[in-house]
Amino acid sequence: MAGIQVTDTRAGTAGWVAQVASTAFIGGIANNNIAASAASYTPAAATPTGVAVVTPAPAPVALSATPQTVQTATVVVGNNGATWGAGLSLAVPGNALADTYTATLTHSVL
């Protein structure tokens, strides 16, 4: 994944935290699902804009329905932001059926 972006226009000094959560991978065949925890997210180093120190979480980050921190901005002054890429991998269980799977990956900022 490329071009993941945060734009902070609060013009303050409070940092921010970017998080990611995932749904399960749902197959087209009934009950053919892969848990979100079988996936991991590897954030790349971010390119900051404005004044901010942005640090990626130690990789890989195990995914779940609960948001997990992937980038943290500190030493923030004024409007700032960051752009980064990430790798996504999925450990497919041996008993998974050949199918088309769909999941939703959600980024959020605190």
Side-chain angles (χ1 to χ4, degrees):
M1 296 181 293
I4 303 159
Q5 184 175 25
V6 169
T7 302
D8 180 359
T9 59
R10 298 175 295 168
T13 58
W16 49 263
V17 174
Q19 297 183 317
V20 67
S22 180
T23 63
F25 292 76
I26 308 299
I29 300 169
N31 299 315
N32 190 36
N33 305 326
I34 300 173
S37 60
S40 62
Y41 180 105
T42 302
T47 301
T49 56
V51 178
V53 174
V54 183
T55 307
V61 175
L63 293 178
S64 73
T66 303
Q68 305 297 311
T69 297
V70 294
Q71 298 280 357
T72 302
T74 58
V75 192
V76 171
V77 178
N79 293 336
N80 66 88
T83 302
W84 68 93
L88 184 63
S89 62
L90 179 65
V92 178
N95 64 346
L97 300 174
D99 201 348
T100 299
Y101 293 85
T102 303
T104 299
L105 191 68
T106 303
H107 286 88
S108 57
V109 179
L110 304 175

